[in-house]
């Protein structure tokens, strides 16, 4: 087994690293640990925009990254330790989360934390969740990865994942919001997240005498950075990969009330638009609706379009900054 402790706190890097290792080591078992700076990690089959508070995320510089596996959206920050097991795929073991959560529980029991696996894939203590786990099977291997809430900013977690359910209608996998807890509450002050991380490494070394610590090479890092540029750092993967959905929103601006309805295709392309309201327009609103069709439901692309037209002709007194809120 290779034990890899990523030194990067970049969510793009660490999520891309999971895929890189999958193909770099097609047969080697791997245990990967990483800690991300503030980021939201969404499941592969989720509608990203329907899972996040986009304005809050953008204002606070929180990265949004889609992972390879399914399941729900999770919030990562420097108080959150992430672990990942890569092993040969055994079909009958795919839905068994116990095998790779037990080593984590063994370590926590050493610290006096009475955690246990409950339901299909969650680790709880006193009925509150501190770890969610997800799996994927690809290229003959299986990856099971999970989180450990150690000292995460719970208020930011709540705000970053707080969305308006009335804005979106789709069939994408929705996240299940559980009561969560930081393990720091169960530990003395001198125990840090690094102590937990080292204990997990020690546990893996004890469980597998053949295990060895592996440090990423310059070649590894360059390959991961290439994967970020091509996939994990792109809008197409993190937002555009979302399934088809219907979006609606309404805002109040100086010129009146504006209501938006959009159909968005899989891939994030706007397919149909209807705009309603009590504003006064000198040009038919259908002209602007037609201009929006075919572009991405992406703030950058929408802002570029809005900057290219005379908005006062469609809505009266309104700015691009005011109107952009309609599409969030």
């Amino acid at each position: 087994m290779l034990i890899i402790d990523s030194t990067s706190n970049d969510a793009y890097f660490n999520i891309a690293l999971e895929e890189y290792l999958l193909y770099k080591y097609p047969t080697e078992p791997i245990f990967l640990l990483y800690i991300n700076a503030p980021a939201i990690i969404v499941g592969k089959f989720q509608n990203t925009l329907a899972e996040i508070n986009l304005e809050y995320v953008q204002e606070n510089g929180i990265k949004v990254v889609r992972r390879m596996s399914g399941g729900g959206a999770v919030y990562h920050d420097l108080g959150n330790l992430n672990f990942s097991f890569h092993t040969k795929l055994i079909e009958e073991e795919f839905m068994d989360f116990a095998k790779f959560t037990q080593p984590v529980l063994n370590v926590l029991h050493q610290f006096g934390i009475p955690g246990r696996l409950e339901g299909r894939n969650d680790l709880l203590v006193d009925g509150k969740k501190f770890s969610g786990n997800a799996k994927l099977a690809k290229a003959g291997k299986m990856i099971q990865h999970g989180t450990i809430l150690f000292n995460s900013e719970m208020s930011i977690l709540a705000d970053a994942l707080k969305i308006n359910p009335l804005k979106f209608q789709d069939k994408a996998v929705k996240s299940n919001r559980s009561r969560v807890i930081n393990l720091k509450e169960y530990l003395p002050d001198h125990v840090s997240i690094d102590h937990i991380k080292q204990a997990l490494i020690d546990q893996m070394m004890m469980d597998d005498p053949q295990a060895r610590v592996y440090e990423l090479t310059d070649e590894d890092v360059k390959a991961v950075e290439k994967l970020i540029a091509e996939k994990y750092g792109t809008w197409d993967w993190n937002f555009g990969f979302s399934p088809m959905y219907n979006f609606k929103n309404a805002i109040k601006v100086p010129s009146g009330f504006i209501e938006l309805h959009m159909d968005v295709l899989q891939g994030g392309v706007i397919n149909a638009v209807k705009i309603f309201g009590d504003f006064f327009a000198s040009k038919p609103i259908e002209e602007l609706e037609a201009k929006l069709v075919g572009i991405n439901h992406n703030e950058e692309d929408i802002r570029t379009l809005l900057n290219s037209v005379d908005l006062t002709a469609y809505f009266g007194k309104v700015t691009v900054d005011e109107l952009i809120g309609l599409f969030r």
Side-chain angles (χ1 to χ4, degrees):
M1 172 183 282
L2 299 180
I3 298 175
I4 302 173
D5 179 9
S6 174
T7 58
S8 175
N9 297 131
D10 182 352
Y12 290 157
F13 184 92
N14 289 321
I15 302 302
L17 178 60
E18 295 237 34
E19 179 171 334
Y20 169 73
L21 293 173
L22 176 70
Y23 293 104
K24 174 72 172 180
Y25 297 101
T27 59
E28 188 88 38
I30 295 171
F31 179 61
L32 170 67
L33 289 164
Y34 58 89
I35 297 174
N36 286 327
I40 294 176
I41 314 300
V42 299
K44 182 176 181 180
F45 307 109
Q46 292 192 294
N47 176 357
T48 302
L49 290 171
E51 292 293 330
I52 68 173
N53 182 341
L54 183 61
E55 289 184 75
Y56 183 89
V57 165
Q58 291 177 332
E59 289 170 0
N60 289 275
I62 298 172
K63 288 187 175 179
V64 178
V65 193
R66 186 184 300 279
R67 61 178 183 266
M68 289 188 293
S69 62
V74 292
Y75 174 72
H76 289 180
D77 63 16
L78 296 176
N80 186 318
L81 177 62
N82 305 283
F83 61 91
S84 178
F85 290 91
H86 298 215
T87 63
K88 181 180 178 181
L89 174 62
I90 301 174
E91 295 285 352
E92 56 268 26
E93 291 185 358
F94 184 74
M95 293 309 297
D96 178 14
F97 283 84
K99 180 176 181 180
F100 296 116
T101 52
Q102 192 57 52
V104 175
L105 292 174
N106 290 342
V107 167
L108 298 181
H109 293 164
Q110 295 172 20
F111 287 89
I113 299 172
R116 61 180 182 176
L117 176 66
E118 292 192 19
R120 183 181 62 176
N121 58 338
D122 292 336
L123 299 184
L124 279 69
V125 59
D126 292 340
K128 295 181 181 180
K129 178 178 173 179
F130 65 86
S131 174
N133 293 262
K135 274 192 178 182
L136 70 104
K138 200 175 185 70
K141 291 193 81 174
M142 178 176 68
I143 296 178
Q144 179 173 321
H145 43 201
T147 62
I148 299 176
L149 289 172
F150 180 80
N151 192 26
S152 188
E153 291 282 353
M154 293 297 190
S155 61
I156 296 179
L157 182 156
D159 289 338
L161 296 176
K162 182 170 61 181
I163 56 98
N164 182 350
L166 299 178
K167 286 186 179 181
F168 293 89
Q169 294 180 2
D170 59 31
K171 296 182 180 179
V173 179
K174 297 294 188 295
S175 297
N176 179 25
R177 307 292 184 229
S178 305
R179 290 191 305 162
V180 295
I181 192 168
N182 277 317
L183 294 185
K184 185 67 176 173
E185 297 183 26
Y186 290 83
L187 295 165
D189 291 341
H190 73 273
V191 176
S192 69
I193 195 169
D194 288 330
H195 288 107
I196 300 294
K197 181 166 59 171
Q198 187 58 52
L200 282 167
I201 293 173
D202 293 342
Q203 181 74 42
M204 293 302 110
M205 299 286 280
M206 183 176 70
D207 291 346
D208 181 2
Q210 303 301 315
R212 61 187 178 92
V213 174
Y214 176 82
E215 294 187 7
L216 298 177
T217 65
D218 290 342
E219 179 185 357
D220 293 329
V221 172
K222 288 178 182 177
V224 174
E225 289 174 344
K226 183 173 184 290
L227 195 53
I228 293 170
E230 295 175 349
K231 182 175 181 180
Y232 287 95
T234 68
W235 182 89
D236 284 346
W237 172 252
N238 294 320
F239 290 88
F241 187 83
S242 299
M244 184 170 66
Y245 58 89
N246 303 115
F247 176 87
K248 62 181 180 180
N249 196 17
I251 59 172
K252 183 74 170 65
V253 295
S255 59
F257 175 80
I258 307 174
E259 182 178 340
L260 169 72
H261 293 251
M262 293 195 306
D263 295 335
V264 183
L265 299 175
Q266 182 170 352
V269 177
I270 298 171
N271 185 53
V273 182
K274 285 302 296 179
I275 299 173
F276 306 95
D278 59 1
F279 50 86
F280 295 98
S282 61
K283 283 187 176 182
I285 197 65
E286 289 80 5
E287 287 184 7
L288 181 60
E289 292 171 348
K291 291 177 184 294
L292 287 163
V293 172
I295 70 172
N296 290 326
H297 187 190
N298 172 356
E299 180 171 331
E300 182 178 344
D301 292 352
I302 293 171
R303 186 180 287 275
T304 298
L305 172 66
L306 297 180
N307 276 316
S308 72
V309 300
D310 178 11
L311 293 180
T312 60
Y314 297 110
F315 300 105
K317 186 178 180 181
V318 65
T319 67
V320 170
D321 285 339
E322 289 170 337
L323 196 60
I324 202 73
L326 189 63
F327 297 86
R328 289 172 174 163

